[in-house]
RNA sequence: GCGGAAGUAGCUCAAUUGGUAGAGCGAUAGCCUUCCAAGCUAUAGGUUGCGAGUUCGAGACUCGUCUUCCGCUCCA
């Protein structure tokens, strides 16, 4: 594990040194838990995003994509439950330093009381919570002598509010008026739900169908750490799949399998993954699990698959007074149309930044290439070709005798089709290693023989072997590799 | 948010009880051409994270602050 932790550190260093990921605003000491993608990281991230998008929308005929705004009407977050569930009053025990959600603490204590006293206490608490009376909550805890389970003391801090949504002012005129406040979306899902009818009607979508979206979301995490695992600004790739009520179990299982296929399609072995079923379900779910990947620091969530019932659409119907129903013309067992209903939803939601980290972790390898004569090693990123930031490096063996000119011809032929990199400086071996470090799958070397017979050397990243192929075959070879 | 550790060039690390901040790798330019990093020459890069304090003198000591990592906590 210690080694694995070193590997994680090494990957972080590598990300910075080779232009994948930088800390945001680094020249000003950085901003906590905010990161920027560099020249290769942004390409990698884009390739993953594009692959997901293509797989979800192009290859699933009944899924369409949208791109909703980050700002949404404030009522959205009341309907979604985020205003209530995302800003929990917390309290700390000064002796044990343990932090509790106030409602959890009081409810836990209430469970130990006789039924009547318990109900009375919970009622009282709920009244205070509704009024956001933090002082009252604290005295409630103190009156009942509720103790910390760790320290056994009643030495509490004041009750404090932690709002995990970022708020900002809408409109140019600032003021104390709360009406101006909007939130940066804490999840992308709601942009899909509020557009459910728009897409269903204009796209003439028939259930079951899905709406996919990729975009930024923002959470004011109390503790945001572990590199790009938990950032305050992050990118989600998610899809809401609308289904007939009662069919959620089978579709939930379907999407668990289907999403795993995408993961395995990146060439990552199955034993690096596991499903983690949620025992404690979120306020909106009737079943939920995570797809976890075995990072160098252990299994961590990459993707969540949730059976969200009709929670979201039903609440939006209630708050907006707009009917969120769908008329199902399919015939049931009695030969009658299923008729109107609010669809149930299966959600697949994957963190793009975590996926980048996953792909990097899987690809990163330090290889010892030492021989009896000399020590040698290389760092190689074994990305699947379709995800590599650079697909092809074109390297004239020497920068004279007309070799650069030939290399430039190949460059012109290929660069319209995929990302290429041209370099004529330094020894050829050094150039190969530099490409290994950014995960370029193919290097083409132009040498003197090219002038005679039009063949070039292709050097493969993973095996480090090389072979001669006609220069005219290069483009096709790369295109074939990145299509699979 | 609590506790612990750390922060010196792009990277890895030096710098004697407190006495002028260095090296290797890397980078850039040129030379040399040799299909797996290390041939030659030259050049650039640091208010030692930042700000105070102690001192004749601080990279080192003290305090504050920022950032990162680890443990707890949180994770709809």
């Amino acid at each position: 594990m210690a080694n694995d932790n070193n590997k994680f550190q090494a990957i972080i260093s590598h990300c910075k040194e080779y232009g994948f990921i930088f800390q945001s605003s680094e020249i000003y000491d950085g901003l906590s838990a905010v990161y920027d993608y560099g020249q290769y990281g942004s390409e990698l991230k884009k390739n993953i995003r594009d692959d997901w998008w293509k797989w979800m929308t192009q290859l699933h005929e009944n899924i369409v994509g949208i791109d909703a705004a980050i700002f949404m009407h404030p009522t959205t977050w009341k309907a979604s439950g985020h205003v209530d569930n995302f800003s929990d009053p917390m309290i700390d025990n000064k002796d044990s330093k343990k932090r509790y959600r106030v409602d959890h603490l009081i409810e836990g204590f209430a469970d130990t009381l006789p039924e009547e006293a318990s109900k009375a206490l919970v009622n009282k608490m709920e009244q205070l919570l509704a009024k956001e009376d933090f002082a009252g909550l604290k005295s409630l805890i103190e009156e009942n002598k509720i103790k910390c389970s760790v320290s056994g003391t009643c030495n509490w801090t004041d009750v404090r509010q932690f709002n995990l949504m970022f708020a900002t002012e809408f409109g140019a005129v600032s003021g104390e008026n709360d009406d101006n406040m909007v939130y940066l979306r804490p999840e992308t899902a709601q942009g899909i739900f509020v557009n459910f009818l728009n897409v269903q009607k204009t796209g003439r979508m028939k259930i079951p169908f899905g709406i996919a979206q990729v975009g930024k979301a923002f959470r004011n995490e109390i503790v945001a750490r572990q590199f790009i695992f938990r950032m305050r600004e992050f990118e989600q790739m998610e899809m809401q799949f609308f289904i007939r009520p009662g069919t959620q179990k089978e579709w939930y299982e379907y999407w668990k399998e289907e999403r795993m296929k995408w993961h395995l399609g990146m060439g990552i072995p199955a034993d690096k993954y596991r499903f983690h079923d949620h025992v404690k379900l979120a306020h909106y779910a009737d079943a939920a699990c995570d797809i976890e990947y075995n990072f160098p620091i252990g299994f961590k969530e990459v993707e969540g698959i949730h059976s969200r019932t009709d929670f979201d659409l039903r609440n939006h119907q209630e708050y907006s007074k707009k009917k969120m129903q769908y008329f199902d013309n399919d015939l049931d067992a009695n030969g009658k149309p299923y008729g109107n209903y609010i669809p149930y939803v299966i959600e697949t939601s994957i963190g793009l930044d975590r996926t980048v980290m996953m792909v990097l972790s899987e690809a990163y390898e330090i290889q010892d290439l030492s021989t009896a004569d000399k020590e040698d090693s290389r760092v190689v990123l074994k990305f699947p070709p379709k995800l590599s930031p650079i697909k092809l490096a074109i390297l004239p063996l020497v920068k004279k005798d007309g070799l650069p000119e030939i290399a430039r011809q190949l460059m012109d032929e290929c660069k319209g089709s995929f990302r290429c990199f041209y370099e004529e400086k330094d020894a050829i071996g050094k150039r190969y290693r530099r490409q290994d470090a950014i995960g370029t799958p193919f290097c083409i070397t132009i040498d003197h023989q090219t002038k005679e017979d039009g063949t070039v050397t292709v050097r493969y990243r993973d095996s480090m072997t090389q072979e001669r192929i006609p220069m005219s075959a290069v483009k096709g070879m790369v295109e074939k590799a990145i299509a699979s």
Side-chain angles (χ1 to χ4, degrees):
Chain A
M1 198 64 197
N3 273 340
D4 282 354
N5 199 33
N6 289 344
K7 184 183 172 187
F8 188 62
Q9 298 301 327
I11 293 171
I12 293 172
S13 302
H14 191 85
C15 282
K16 190 196 168 186
E17 193 171 355
Y18 287 92
F20 282 87
I21 298 166
F22 308 119
Q23 187 168 20
S24 167
S25 321
E26 196 184 5
I27 61 167
Y28 294 110
D29 280 342
L31 190 60
S32 185
V34 185
Y35 291 90
D36 298 339
Y37 285 85
Q39 63 275 31
Y40 297 128
S42 57
E43 292 281 351
L44 174 65
K45 185 180 175 187
K46 179 183 176 299
N47 291 341
I48 294 172
R49 185 197 291 120
D50 289 350
D51 188 63
W52 182 90
W53 186 261
K54 179 183 174 186
W55 197 86
M56 291 301 275
T57 64
Q58 193 170 326
L59 299 181
H60 292 84
E61 296 173 23
N62 56 344
I63 299 178
V64 294
I66 65 166
D67 182 13
I70 288 170
F71 293 134
M72 297 186 71
H73 192 283
T75 310
T76 308
W77 307 113
K78 290 191 179 123
S80 70
H82 284 86
V83 171
D84 290 335
N85 289 298
F86 232 62
S87 54
D88 304 315
M90 311 284 276
I91 192 165
D92 294 4
N93 184 277
K94 288 181 188 167
D95 298 316
S96 66
K97 310 294 185 194
K98 207 167 149 51
R99 168 171 298 158
Y100 297 88
R101 270 175 63 167
V102 168
D103 54 338
H104 288 179
L105 181 68
I106 296 177
E107 278 166 5
F109 176 75
D111 288 343
T112 67
L113 298 176
E115 198 177 326
E116 229 163 85
S118 170
K119 270 188 186 163
L121 179 61
V122 171
N123 268 337
K124 186 102 187 276
M125 174 190 82
E126 279 171 357
Q127 282 171 22
L128 292 169
L129 277 175
K131 283 189 290 185
E132 300 196 341
D133 181 351
F134 296 153
L137 284 166
K138 189 182 179 187
S139 22
L140 188 67
I141 289 170
E142 285 173 337
E143 281 162 23
N144 285 280
K145 300 201 166 53
I146 298 176
K147 294 188 178 74
C148 166
S149 60
V150 174
S151 65
T153 64
C154 304
N155 190 11
W156 297 105
T157 63
D158 286 338
V159 174
R160 286 174 293 180
Q161 177 92 315
F162 290 86
N163 190 342
L164 298 184
M165 285 195 287
F166 281 95
T168 189
E169 285 180 47
F170 203 67
V173 181
S174 71
E176 284 104 66
N177 196 341
D178 274 356
D179 294 348
N180 284 344
M181 289 304 244
V182 293
Y183 296 107
L184 303 188
R185 62 184 178 192
E187 64 172 24
T188 49
Q190 299 306 324
I192 293 178
F193 294 129
V194 300
N195 279 300
F196 164 70
L197 280 182
N198 286 337
V199 174
Q200 190 271 319
K201 290 190 166 160
T202 59
R204 298 183 296 118
M205 305 303 290
K206 251 178 84 66
I207 273 182
F209 73 93
I211 303 177
Q213 175 170 223
V214 179
K216 288 281 181 81
F218 305 82
R219 296 182 191 179
N220 213 345
E221 301 283 359
I222 301 167
V223 178
R225 251 193 333 219
Q226 285 181 311
F227 199 43
I228 57 172
F229 271 98
R230 183 165 310 170
M231 298 194 289
R232 296 209 159 92
E233 174 181 342
F234 60 102
E235 197 158 342
Q236 292 184 311
M237 305 189 288
E238 58 160 56
M239 188 276 300
Q240 309 294 333
F241 199 71
F242 299 92
I243 55 172
R244 189 179 297 149
T247 61
Q248 65 266 35
K249 283 224 161 45
E250 55 201 81
W251 283 113
Y252 175 67
E253 292 302 326
Y254 171 83
W255 278 109
K256 274 175 76 169
E257 269 180 47
E258 195 69 3
R259 287 302 306 148
M260 189 56 91
K261 280 187 204 163
W262 180 78
H263 283 270
L264 300 180
M266 287 189 291
I268 300 175
D271 63 9
K272 299 296 281 289
Y273 287 106
R274 72 180 185 197
F275 284 107
H276 175 253
D277 291 316
H278 289 203
V279 181
K280 209 183 99 193
L281 293 170
H283 60 272
Y284 55 67
D286 76 348
C289 70
D290 298 333
I291 294 177
E292 297 185 333
Y293 169 78
N294 194 3
F295 287 96
I297 51 173
F299 276 99
K300 297 270 178 197
E301 175 189 353
V302 174
E303 174 156 11
I305 296 160
H306 308 120
S307 175
R308 291 183 80 128
T309 70
D310 60 358
F311 177 89
D312 300 277
L313 288 179
R314 183 171 292 283
N315 276 332
H316 284 306
Q317 174 168 290
E318 186 181 315
Y319 278 82
S320 68
K321 313 284 188 231
K322 307 281 193 307
K323 280 197 174 160
M324 291 293 162
Q325 64 192 19
Y326 169 84
F327 188 83
D328 192 336
N329 271 309
D330 283 1
L331 304 180
D332 62 17
N334 301 320
K336 294 192 170 161
Y338 283 97
N340 275 319
Y341 56 78
I342 298 176
Y344 269 42
V345 171
I346 305 296
E347 168 188 77
T348 73
S349 175
I350 178 166
L352 176 51
D353 309 282
R354 288 181 180 187
T355 307
V356 169
M357 199 58 215
M358 175 177 79
V359 169
L360 275 165
S361 301
E362 189 62 30
Y364 184 88
E365 204 172 307
I366 303 176
Q367 293 179 338
D368 185 359
L369 304 173
S370 298
T371 59
D373 301 335
K374 63 167 186 176
E375 282 187 21
D376 194 9
S377 69
R378 69 165 181 163
V379 173
V380 56
L381 298 181
K382 292 186 167 179
F383 296 129
K386 65 180 175 184
L387 300 183
S388 289
I390 306 290
K391 312 300 187 191
L392 180 68
I394 298 172
L395 317 168
L397 186 61
V398 295
K399 57 178 165 185
K400 61 177 186 183
D401 303 334
L403 301 189
E405 286 74 12
I406 301 175
R408 280 291 174 195
Q409 280 173 24
L410 183 60
M411 191 74 188
D412 289 340
E413 183 192 338
C414 292
K415 73 182 180 188
S417 303
F418 43 81
R419 197 81 158 80
C420 301
F421 188 89
Y422 175 85
E423 186 165 48
E424 59 189 31
K425 202 178 149 43
D426 292 320
I428 192 69
K430 185 179 253 184
R431 283 181 271 170
Y432 286 157
R433 300 298 174 85
R434 271 202 284 254
Q435 294 304 312
D436 289 341
I438 60 169
T440 305
F442 307 105
C443 293
I444 295 294
T445 302
I446 314 293
D447 59 15
H448 293 93
Q449 194 183 329
T450 308
K451 289 205 289 192
E452 291 161 20
D453 62 8
T455 63
V456 296
T457 304
V458 51
R459 181 268 193 185
Y460 300 102
R461 177 194 64 197
D462 297 351
S463 63
M464 298 176 74
T465 55
Q466 41 195 34
E467 60 182 311
R468 287 203 83 86
I469 61 170
M471 191 164 102
S472 55
V474 169
K475 188 179 168 195
M477 174 197 71
V478 176
E479 282 179 330
K480 192 177 165 211
I482 59 184
S484 58

